[in-house]
Coordinates of all heavy atoms in Angstrom, one line a residue:
M361 N 11.5 18.9 -1.4 CA 10.9 18.5 -2.6 C 10.0 17.2 -2.3 O 10.5 16.3 -1.7 CB 12.0 18.2 -3.6 CG 11.5 17.8 -5.0 SD 12.8 17.9 -6.1 CE 12.2 16.9 -7.4
G362 N 8.8 17.2 -2.8 CA 7.9 16.1 -2.6 C 8.1 14.9 -3.5 O 8.9 15.0 -4.5
Q363 N 7.3 13.9 -3.3 CA 7.3 12.7 -4.2 C 6.6 13.1 -5.5 O 5.6 13.8 -5.5 CB 6.5 11.6 -3.6 CG 7.4 10.6 -3.0 CD 6.5 9.4 -2.5 OE1 5.3 9.5 -2.4 NE2 7.2 8.3 -2.3
V364 N 7.1 12.6 -6.6 CA 6.5 12.7 -7.9 C 5.8 11.4 -8.3 O 6.5 10.4 -8.3 CB 7.5 13.1 -9.0 CG1 6.9 13.2 -10.3 CG2 8.2 14.4 -8.6
L365 N 4.5 11.4 -8.4 CA 3.8 10.2 -8.7 C 3.2 10.3 -10.1 O 2.9 11.4 -10.6 CB 2.6 10.0 -7.8 CG 2.9 10.0 -6.3 CD1 1.7 9.9 -5.5 CD2 3.8 8.7 -6.0
H366 N 3.1 9.2 -10.8 CA 2.5 9.2 -12.2 C 1.0 9.4 -12.0 O 0.4 9.2 -10.9 CB 2.8 8.0 -13.0 CG 2.4 6.7 -12.5 ND1 1.1 6.3 -12.6 CD2 3.0 5.7 -11.8 CE1 0.9 5.1 -12.0 NE2 2.1 4.7 -11.5
G367 N 0.2 9.7 -13.0 CA -1.2 10.0 -13.0 C -2.1 9.0 -12.4 O -3.1 9.3 -11.8
C368 N -1.7 7.7 -12.5 CA -2.6 6.6 -12.0 C -2.2 6.1 -10.6 O -2.8 5.2 -10.1 CB -2.6 5.5 -13.0 SG -3.4 5.9 -14.6
A369 N -1.1 6.7 -10.0 CA -0.6 6.2 -8.8 C -1.6 6.3 -7.7 O -2.2 7.4 -7.5 CB 0.7 6.9 -8.4
R370 N -1.8 5.3 -6.9 CA -2.8 5.4 -5.7 C -2.0 5.2 -4.4 O -2.6 5.5 -3.4 CB -3.8 4.2 -5.8 CG -4.7 4.3 -7.1 CD -5.7 5.4 -7.0 NE -6.6 5.3 -5.9 CZ -7.8 4.9 -5.9 NH1 -8.3 4.4 -7.0 NH2 -8.5 4.9 -4.8
T371 N -0.8 4.8 -4.4 CA -0.1 4.6 -3.2 C 1.2 5.5 -3.1 O 1.8 5.8 -4.1 CB 0.4 3.2 -3.0 OG1 1.3 2.8 -4.0 CG2 -0.8 2.2 -2.9
T372 N 1.4 6.1 -2.0 CA 2.6 6.8 -1.7 C 3.6 6.0 -0.9 O 3.3 4.9 -0.5 CB 2.3 8.1 -0.9 OG1 1.8 7.8 0.3 CG2 1.3 9.0 -1.7
E373 N 4.8 6.5 -0.8 CA 5.8 5.8 0.0 C 5.3 5.5 1.4 O 5.5 4.5 2.0 CB 7.1 6.6 0.0 CG 8.3 5.8 0.6 CD 9.6 6.6 0.4 OE1 9.7 7.3 -0.5 OE2 10.4 6.4 1.3
A374 N 4.7 6.5 2.0 CA 4.2 6.4 3.4 C 3.1 5.3 3.5 O 3.1 4.5 4.4 CB 3.6 7.7 3.9
V375 N 2.2 5.2 2.5 CA 1.1 4.2 2.5 C 1.8 2.8 2.3 O 1.4 1.9 3.0 CB 0.1 4.4 1.4 CG1 -0.8 3.3 1.2 CG2 -0.7 5.7 1.6
R376 N 2.7 2.7 1.4 CA 3.4 1.4 1.2 C 4.1 0.9 2.5 O 4.1 -0.2 2.9 CB 4.4 1.5 0.1 CG 3.7 1.7 -1.2 CD 4.6 1.5 -2.4 NE 5.6 2.6 -2.5 CZ 5.5 3.7 -3.2 NH1 4.5 3.9 -4.0 NH2 6.5 4.5 -3.2
R377 N 4.8 1.9 3.2 CA 5.4 1.6 4.5 C 4.4 1.1 5.5 O 4.6 0.1 6.2 CB 6.2 2.8 5.0 CG 7.3 2.4 6.0 CD 8.1 3.6 6.3 NE 8.6 4.4 5.2 CZ 8.2 5.7 5.0 NH1 7.4 6.3 5.9 NH2 8.6 6.4 4.0
A378 N 3.3 1.8 5.6 CA 2.2 1.4 6.5 C 1.7 0.0 6.2 O 1.4 -0.8 7.2 CB 1.1 2.4 6.5
I379 N 1.5 -0.3 5.0 CA 1.1 -1.6 4.6 C 2.1 -2.7 5.0 O 1.7 -3.7 5.6 CB 0.8 -1.7 3.0 CG1 -0.4 -0.9 2.7 CG2 0.7 -3.1 2.6 CD1 -0.6 -0.7 1.2
Q380 N 3.3 -2.5 4.8 CA 4.3 -3.4 5.1 C 4.5 -3.7 6.6 O 4.8 -4.8 7.1 CB 5.7 -3.0 4.6 CG 5.7 -3.1 3.1 CD 7.0 -2.6 2.5 OE1 7.7 -1.7 3.1 NE2 7.4 -3.0 1.3
H381 N 4.2 -2.7 7.5 CA 4.3 -2.8 8.9 C 3.0 -3.1 9.6 O 3.0 -3.3 10.8 CB 5.0 -1.6 9.5 CG 6.4 -1.4 9.0 ND1 6.7 -0.5 8.0 CD2 7.5 -2.0 9.4 CE1 8.0 -0.6 7.8 NE2 8.5 -1.5 8.6
S382 N 1.9 -3.2 8.9 CA 0.6 -3.4 9.6 C 0.3 -4.9 9.8 O 0.7 -5.7 9.0 CB -0.5 -2.8 8.7 OG -1.7 -3.0 9.3
Q383 N -0.4 -5.2 10.8 CA -0.9 -6.5 11.1 C -2.3 -6.7 10.7 O -2.9 -7.8 10.8 CB -0.8 -6.8 12.6 CG 0.6 -6.7 13.2 CD 1.5 -7.8 12.5 OE1 1.1 -8.9 12.4 NE2 2.7 -7.4 12.1
E384 N -3.0 -5.7 10.1 CA -4.4 -5.8 9.7 C -4.5 -6.8 8.5 O -3.5 -7.0 7.8 CB -4.9 -4.5 9.2 CG -5.2 -3.5 10.4 CD -5.9 -2.3 9.9 OE1 -7.1 -2.3 9.8 OE2 -5.1 -1.3 9.6
S385 N -5.7 -7.2 8.2 CA -5.9 -8.1 7.0 C -5.8 -7.3 5.7 O -5.8 -6.1 5.7 CB -7.3 -8.7 7.1 OG -8.3 -7.6 6.9
L386 N -5.6 -8.0 4.6 CA -5.5 -7.4 3.3 C -6.7 -6.6 3.0 O -6.6 -5.5 2.5 CB -5.2 -8.5 2.2 CG -4.0 -9.4 2.3 CD1 -4.0 -10.4 1.2 CD2 -2.8 -8.5 2.3
R387 N -7.9 -7.2 3.3 CA -9.1 -6.5 2.9 C -9.3 -5.2 3.7 O -9.7 -4.2 3.2 CB -10.3 -7.4 3.3 CG -10.6 -8.4 2.2 CD -11.8 -9.1 2.6 NE -12.3 -10.0 1.5 CZ -13.3 -10.7 1.5 NH1 -14.0 -10.8 2.6 NH2 -13.6 -11.5 0.5
A388 N -8.9 -5.2 5.0 CA -9.1 -4.0 5.8 C -8.1 -2.9 5.3 O -8.5 -1.7 5.2 CB -8.8 -4.3 7.3
L389 N -6.9 -3.3 5.0 CA -5.9 -2.3 4.5 C -6.4 -1.7 3.2 O -6.2 -0.6 2.9 CB -4.5 -2.9 4.4 CG -3.8 -3.1 5.8 CD1 -2.6 -4.0 5.6 CD2 -3.5 -1.8 6.4
A390 N -6.9 -2.6 2.3 CA -7.3 -2.2 1.0 C -8.5 -1.2 1.1 O -8.5 -0.1 0.4 CB -7.8 -3.4 0.2
R391 N -9.4 -1.5 2.0 CA -10.5 -0.5 2.2 C -10.0 0.8 2.8 O -10.5 1.9 2.4 CB -11.5 -1.1 3.2 CG -12.7 -1.8 2.5 CD -13.8 -2.1 3.5 NE -13.3 -2.8 4.7 CZ -13.3 -4.1 4.9 NH1 -13.8 -4.9 4.0 NH2 -12.9 -4.6 6.0
R392 N -9.1 0.7 3.7 CA -8.6 1.9 4.4 C -7.9 2.9 3.4 O -8.1 4.1 3.5 CB -7.7 1.6 5.5 CG -7.0 2.8 6.1 CD -6.1 2.5 7.2 NE -6.9 1.9 8.2 CZ -6.4 1.5 9.4 NH1 -5.1 1.6 9.6 NH2 -7.2 1.1 10.3
H393 N -7.2 2.3 2.5 CA -6.4 3.1 1.6 C -7.0 3.3 0.2 O -6.4 3.9 -0.7 CB -4.9 2.5 1.5 CG -4.2 2.5 2.8 ND1 -3.8 3.7 3.4 CD2 -3.8 1.5 3.6 CE1 -3.2 3.4 4.5 NE2 -3.2 2.1 4.7
G394 N -8.1 2.6 0.0 CA -8.8 2.7 -1.3 C -8.1 2.1 -2.5 O -8.1 2.6 -3.6
I395 N -7.5 0.9 -2.2 CA -6.7 0.2 -3.2 C -7.2 -1.2 -3.3 O -7.9 -1.7 -2.4 CB -5.2 0.3 -3.0 CG1 -4.8 -0.2 -1.6 CG2 -4.7 1.7 -3.2 CD1 -3.3 -0.2 -1.4
N396 N -6.8 -2.0 -4.3 CA -7.1 -3.4 -4.5 C -6.4 -4.3 -3.5 O -5.2 -4.0 -3.2 CB -6.7 -3.7 -5.9 CG -7.3 -5.0 -6.4 OD1 -7.1 -6.1 -5.7 ND2 -7.9 -5.0 -7.5
P397 N -7.0 -5.3 -3.0 CA -6.3 -6.2 -2.1 C -5.1 -6.9 -2.7 O -4.1 -7.2 -2.0 CB -7.4 -7.3 -1.7 CG -8.7 -6.6 -1.9 CD -8.5 -5.6 -3.0
K398 N -5.1 -7.0 -4.0 CA -3.9 -7.6 -4.7 C -2.7 -6.6 -4.6 O -1.6 -7.1 -4.4 CB -4.2 -7.9 -6.1 CG -5.1 -9.1 -6.4 CD -5.2 -9.3 -7.8 CE -6.1 -10.6 -8.1 NZ -6.2 -10.9 -9.5
T399 N -3.0 -5.4 -4.6 CA -1.9 -4.4 -4.4 C -1.4 -4.4 -3.0 O -0.2 -4.3 -2.8 CB -2.5 -2.9 -4.7 OG1 -3.0 -2.9 -6.0 CG2 -1.4 -1.9 -4.6
V400 N -2.2 -4.6 -2.0 CA -1.8 -4.7 -0.6 C -0.9 -6.0 -0.5 O 0.2 -5.9 0.1 CB -3.0 -4.8 0.3 CG1 -2.5 -5.1 1.7 CG2 -3.8 -3.5 0.3
A401 N -1.3 -7.1 -1.1 CA -0.5 -8.3 -1.0 C 0.8 -8.1 -1.7 O 1.8 -8.6 -1.2 CB -1.3 -9.4 -1.7
K402 N 0.8 -7.4 -2.8 CA 2.1 -7.1 -3.5 C 3.1 -6.4 -2.6 O 4.2 -6.7 -2.5 CB 1.8 -6.4 -4.8 CG 3.1 -5.9 -5.6 CD 2.8 -5.1 -6.8 CE 2.4 -3.7 -6.4 NZ 2.3 -2.8 -7.6
W403 N 2.6 -5.3 -2.0 CA 3.5 -4.5 -1.2 C 3.9 -5.2 0.1 O 5.0 -5.0 0.6 CB 2.8 -3.1 -0.9 CG 2.9 -2.2 -2.1 CD1 1.9 -1.8 -2.9 CD2 4.1 -1.7 -2.6 NE1 2.4 -1.1 -3.9 CE2 3.7 -1.0 -3.8 CE3 5.5 -1.8 -2.3 CZ2 4.7 -0.3 -4.6 CZ3 6.4 -1.1 -3.1 CH2 6.0 -0.4 -4.2
R404 N 3.0 -6.1 0.6 CA 3.4 -6.9 1.8 C 4.5 -7.8 1.5 O 5.4 -8.1 2.3 CB 2.2 -7.7 2.3 CG 1.3 -6.9 3.2 CD 1.2 -7.7 4.5 NE 0.4 -6.9 5.4 CZ -0.7 -7.3 5.9 NH1 -1.2 -8.5 5.6 NH2 -1.4 -6.6 6.8
A405 N 4.5 -8.4 0.3 CA 5.5 -9.4 -0.1 C 6.9 -8.7 -0.4 O 7.9 -9.4 -0.3 CB 5.0 -10.1 -1.3
R406 N 6.9 -7.5 -0.7 CA 8.2 -6.8 -1.0 C 9.0 -6.5 0.2 O 8.4 -6.2 1.2 CB 7.9 -5.5 -1.8 CG 7.4 -5.8 -3.2 CD 7.4 -4.5 -4.0 NE 6.9 -4.8 -5.3 CZ 6.8 -3.9 -6.3 NH1 7.3 -2.7 -6.1 NH2 6.4 -4.2 -7.4
S407 N 10.3 -6.6 0.1 CA 11.1 -6.3 1.3 C 11.6 -4.9 1.2 O 11.7 -4.3 0.1 CB 12.3 -7.3 1.3 OG 13.1 -7.1 0.2
G408 N 12.0 -4.3 2.3 CA 12.6 -3.0 2.2 C 11.7 -2.0 2.7 O 11.2 -1.1 2.8

């Protein structure tokens, strides 16, 4: 069974994990995944 995302969701669990483990800049990650740099910063700050 796959992940169930709401209609506006832009990140999956795999993308969030990649953001948390990446050493790239916020801007580079935002461009790569097509999301806002603030979203990248939010996921970087979260633990787990």
Side-chain angles (χ1 to χ4, degrees):
M361 186 165 157
Q363 259 187 342
V364 178
L365 302 174
H366 64 79
C368 295
R370 298 289 302 261
T371 60
T372 62
E373 189 174 328
V375 170
R376 293 189 296 263
R377 199 174 317 116
I379 289 169
Q380 289 174 335
H381 293 102
S382 178
Q383 297 297 316
E384 285 186 89
S385 70
L386 297 179
R387 281 184 169 178
L389 286 168
R391 264 193 310 265
R392 172 179 295 181
H393 298 293
I395 56 178
N396 192 306
K398 286 184 180 183
T399 303
V400 175
K402 175 182 78 171
W403 283 111
R404 274 238 176 117
R406 291 188 181 187
S407 62

